[in-house]
Each structure stands twice: as C-alpha cells, then as structure tokens.
Amino acid sequence: MCKKLLILGSDYGTREIAIEATRMGLHVITSDNTMSSPTKEASTEAWNISTADIDTLARKCIEEDIAGVTFGASDFNMTMCAQLCARAGLPQYSSDARAIEVARDKAKFRELCLKVDAPIAEGVTFSTQPTSQEIENIQFPVVIKPVDKSANRGMSYCSNSRELLAAFEKAQSISDKDYVVCERQLHGEEWVANYILEDGEARLIYFGKEYHQPGQNANMYSFICTTSNGLEQYLAEVNDKVKLVFKEAGFCNGIAWVETMRDKDGHFYLIEPAYRFSSETLYALHERVDGFNSVRWYIESALGVKHSAKSLPPDLVPGGKSCVGSYHLFTSDACEIASIEGLDVLSSMGNVFVDLPKGVGSKVAKGLNAGLVKIYGNNIEDLIGTLKRVNEVFSIKDARGQNIFIRFTDYDKLKTDFSANELYPQPLRTAQGKLPNPRV
C-alpha cells in the first residue's frame, strides 16, 4: 500500500506538491473548506475539512494512516501543520516551537538578527502608542508594520509623527499581536533568497529579483526573476548571517527564505523571513536550471525522510544563462471574475506553469494576487519572449470584458539587470551598533 500525504490548503505551490507527490507514487489528499480547487483536482482524494479544524484532521490522520503532512505558501497552514503533526505524532518540519514563532513574528526575527549581527534596519518595537518623547528620538522616514502579517498587509511609510501614530493604529488593528515594528525606511530594490534545510544546515538554492510595473506601487512585485544580479554581494555580506539566524530560530528541515533590500547606502538589509514556500513558488521549474528537485525534498521532509549531508547541493554561485520567473497577477480593480482566456495556449507551452487558485465566479479585491504564471527560459531573451506571449494571449476578465490584472511589460529592465556585472561597496559592512530595546 502506498504512503499517504496530506496537503493542507489549496495555496500557491500546493498544486506542484500534489503533482510531484503523485509522481513519487504517493496517495495524495488535499484538505480545506473549498469544494474544488486545482490542487484538489491534481490529488488522489479531497477532504472538505477546514485546515483550522485540528481535532477532526488529527482524528482523520490516525484513522487513515497518514504518513506526513505538508502545505504551500501559507503562514497559517504552516502553523496548523505544526499543531497537527504534534497532535497526530507525525514527522515535523522542526521540533523547535520557536521556529514557527520566529517565522511569523518580525519582532522575534529582529531579535535574532541583532543577536548574530545580521544586517537589519535600525528600529524599535512598540507595544503601546509611542510617546512624544519616543517620537522625538525617531529619525523619519520610517516604516510601521504588524509583526505577524505578510504581503505588505497593514504596512505604512511615515514621514512625520502624525502619520506614525495613524500607522501604529492601523497595524495594531489587523494584527493578532499587541506590538508593532518601527524601522528606518530603506530605499532600494528587493530580492528573495530561497534555501533548503536538513538538520539545521541551509543551502542557498535560488536568488530572485523583484520587479514592479512602472507607475504602480513599488512594493507590488508583478514579476520575480532568478538572477545573478546582486548575488556576489549577497553571498559575501549576508548569506552566512542568514544561516546563523535560521539555526538560532530552530529552522531544521524543508524550505525557508528571506526577503532582502539593497539600501541606497549600497548594502543589503534583511526584511523578513519565512519557513515555507515563498510566494513566487519557482521551485518546480527551477529544477530545469540546476537539476535539483526541491519540491521532492520538501515532500520527503514532510514524510520524515532523513537526507545525508552529501545530498545537500552547494550554495548557489553567480553565472548561468537559464532562468525562471514568476508573474504575479495583481488585480487593478475589485470584481467578480467573469472569464479566463488563453489558458489553452499557456498549457500547450512546455516552459509555462499556471497556478490559479482563483477561477470564474471568484470575487477578488483590488490589489489581490489572483494567480501566478511561472516561466522557464533557456536564457533571459527566451524568458522575455515567453512573457510577451503570455501578455498577448492571456487575460482574466470582469463582466465588462476588461482584463483585471496588471500586465508587467518592463522587458528592458529584466534584460539589463540579468546581464549586469555589478561592483559592490568595499569594505563590507562593519558590525552594527546596538538598537533600542523592544518594549515588549
């Protein structure tokens, strides 16, 4: 009898997990409270049980002899997975409860960065509304953000005390925590660095640069593309420190990542971590770049498979022509999806993978990511050519027949960045000074 793998939720990346797990000969079950989804359709079996219903899921796991539980790019399902595995006696991503806490709490992440001298913007944590004296000590501009939300939810940029107080109230209003982070606002471009882990040892597997469509919000990244741009500097300044943070946090097996920005001072600073798939979920396609199947690694970690240290690939190095990119389909307006056109063309393209949790009839809010189109290119010109073709044939339309996602068309920026040979500042960053103590 084949082993059973339970996937929590129909999130980004879960369809790839279902497909790969099926290839591995596993009996794949996806559970959430949706009646149907692309992930459920790719699974052997589907349960209509909410991922928050741990009592029912734990009982079902025992009754059905589930061998392992996994999830996609969801912080909530990461937490539910840890609770479920502990309850059902199944292999865990990490046996250290602090790992989940650090992955979901930016203030805890800050503490570990400071402990190991990893680069992070100067800042402070407020558990109550900042006093006048505290505000006097703040050098604007700053960013205020809830410690437990992703995708920029509840985040505000502030240039004065009035904006800061309003931002504090906004962040606290959507947070499950009673404290928020205030950091110096960084100015620059952003990258995401993805790692695999085994027994606490981490390896950098891919490095992606984030792009927004000109004229749109700078933090609304419509396209993320793997690149060597900035990689040499990242490896020299940040990579080893990130690994130390992961170890201190108790990140043990599976996949983790960090988002980082290169500030106007020319150096990288860490923004936030995650202990799960990243939102662009380029893992499956990236196997065509480096030959390493990180989705299978992720699944095996959920099943409790122990890999040898020799099976870890080396850290990523600059160079290479092939690349992968993830097209985030951010909505320009709130609407109900009336039609999706061009899927047949995209499915016939051997270098494209479509991940659309939203379908016809789904209601979407403005600024929501309605889906992903992931692209492999033998080189950057090949990737850009495919991206142009996607823009020509693919659309998600509202009742008026209008396409509702923001098209990314800054092809020249992609090409220029990918081939850029950058020089980074010397000497490398020295140790940071002490930051204010958190008020938590």
Side-chain angles (χ1 to χ4, degrees):
M1 181 180 295
C2 59
K3 290 183 177 181
K4 295 181 180 180
L5 176 75
L6 175 62
I7 302 173
L8 296 183
S10 301
D11 305 305
Y12 294 121
T14 51
R15 182 168 170 241
E16 287 101 321
I17 294 172
I19 291 170
E20 182 62 31
T22 300
R23 290 194 188 112
M24 295 167 64
L26 300 174
H27 181 101
V28 184
I29 304 168
T30 296
S31 185
D32 57 29
N33 53 11
T34 62
M35 294 304 296
S36 180
S37 71
T39 303
K40 286 187 170 181
E41 291 167 6
S43 300
T44 315
E45 183 180 346
W47 293 348
N48 291 323
I49 305 171
S50 168
T51 59
D53 189 353
I54 299 300
D55 291 338
T56 301
L57 286 172
R59 186 178 68 252
K60 288 279 286 183
C61 283
I62 294 169
E63 292 173 352
E64 297 293 331
D65 195 25
I66 298 298
V69 185
T70 192
F71 55 97
S74 166
D75 279 335
F76 179 79
N77 287 330
M78 171 188 65
T79 304
M80 294 301 101
C81 182
Q83 293 179 11
L84 177 57
C85 290
R87 184 85 64 87
L90 293 170
Q92 295 189 51
Y93 222 32
S94 176
S95 59
D96 190 337
R98 187 173 54 160
I100 304 300
E101 184 180 26
V102 171
R104 296 203 65 179
D105 190 316
K106 297 178 180 66
K108 303 295 184 185
F109 174 65
R110 282 190 58 83
E111 291 174 11
L112 291 190
C113 287
L114 295 173
K115 181 178 180 179
V116 303
D117 194 32
I120 193 165
E122 299 86 340
V124 64
T125 303
F126 291 116
S127 57
T128 58
Q129 188 179 76
T131 65
S132 299
Q133 184 176 357
E134 287 172 326
I135 292 176
E136 287 180 5
N137 293 327
I138 292 174
Q139 292 186 354
F140 292 98
V142 295
V143 58
I144 295 286
K145 49 192 176 183
V147 298
D148 57 346
K149 301 299 177 184
S150 58
N152 299 317
R153 287 176 295 168
M155 186 180 77
S156 302
Y157 297 111
C158 310
S159 56
N160 55 53
S161 59
R162 177 181 57 81
E163 292 176 352
L164 186 148
L165 293 173
F168 175 85
E169 296 296 333
K170 174 184 174 182
Q172 274 209 329
S173 71
I174 72 163
S175 177
D176 297 324
K177 304 286 187 178
D178 62 359
Y179 48 94
V180 303
V181 166
C182 172
E183 291 179 341
R184 174 174 65 88
Q185 183 180 344
L186 302 173
H187 300 272
E189 297 177 309
E190 293 187 36
W191 284 256
V192 60
N194 286 264
Y195 295 79
I196 59 167
L197 298 106
E198 175 69 18
D199 284 336
E201 294 299 319
R203 296 289 187 276
L204 178 65
I205 54 170
Y206 75 79
F207 190 65
K209 193 170 185 184
E210 303 177 334
Y211 297 90
H212 70 279
Q213 173 67 7
Q216 299 294 330
N217 292 338
N219 58 1
M220 185 179 286
Y221 296 109
S222 289
F223 204 78
I224 300 176
C225 185
T226 58
T227 183
S228 288
N229 183 281
L231 177 57
E232 184 179 359
Q233 180 183 356
Y234 178 88
L235 289 168
E237 287 192 8
V238 187
N239 188 48
D240 289 342
K241 295 294 186 181
V242 170
K243 293 180 180 181
L244 286 176
V245 172
F246 287 172
K247 277 196 172 183
E248 288 287 334
F251 289 11
C252 188
N253 301 303
I255 283 176
W257 55 270
V258 291
E259 193 170 24
T260 182
M261 177 179 285
R262 186 162 58 191
D263 190 34
K264 61 184 179 181
D265 68 5
H267 292 291
F268 281 106
Y269 293 84
L270 300 179
I271 298 175
E272 63 177 324
Y275 192 22
R276 54 168 171 80
F277 270 3
S278 55
S279 62
E280 77 278 4
T281 59
L282 289 171
Y283 304 97
L285 278 182
H286 199 267
E287 184 183 4
R288 297 173 66 171
V289 174
D290 64 0
F292 183 80
N293 191 329
S294 50
V295 179
R296 177 164 295 208
W297 182 282
Y298 194 67
I299 294 167
E300 290 175 343
S301 294
L303 294 171
V305 174
K306 294 298 182 183
H307 305 94
S308 69
K310 292 182 179 178
S311 62
L312 280 167
D315 277 328
L316 182 68
V317 295
K321 293 184 177 181
S322 58
C323 51
V324 288
S326 183
Y327 196 174
H328 292 227
L329 308 175
F330 286 110
T331 53
S332 54
D333 290 293
C335 74
E336 181 175 308
I337 296 174
S339 66
I340 300 175
E341 300 176 4
L343 276 177
D344 54 338
V345 178
L346 299 191
S347 63
S348 68
M349 300 167 70
N351 64 333
V352 171
F353 188 95
V354 181
D355 194 352
L356 287 179
K358 302 293 182 181
V360 173
S362 296
K363 293 182 179 180
V364 295
K366 182 178 180 179
L368 178 78
N369 187 5
L372 304 175
V373 177
K374 290 171 269 193
I375 302 168
Y376 167 81
N378 292 312
N379 49 55
I380 191 62
E381 290 82 6
D382 184 26
L383 182 142
I384 290 171
T386 301
L387 176 58
K388 288 180 178 179
R389 180 62 175 158
V390 170
N391 281 334
E392 290 171 0
V393 303
F394 181 64
S395 60
I396 301 175
K397 294 184 177 180
D398 60 17
R400 301 170 300 167
Q402 299 295 313
N403 179 60
I404 64 164
F405 72 82
I406 298 167
R407 296 194 189 278
F408 180 79
T409 58
D410 199 357
Y411 311 120
D412 290 340
K413 176 69 170 172
L414 283 178
K415 184 174 182 179
T416 301
D417 277 1
F418 191 83
S419 58
N421 183 18
E422 298 177 299
L423 297 176
Y424 57 85
Q426 296 288 346
L428 301 180
R429 179 190 287 104
T430 57
Q432 298 183 103
K434 295 291 184 181
L435 302 187
N437 291 321
R439 292 202 293 147
V440 296

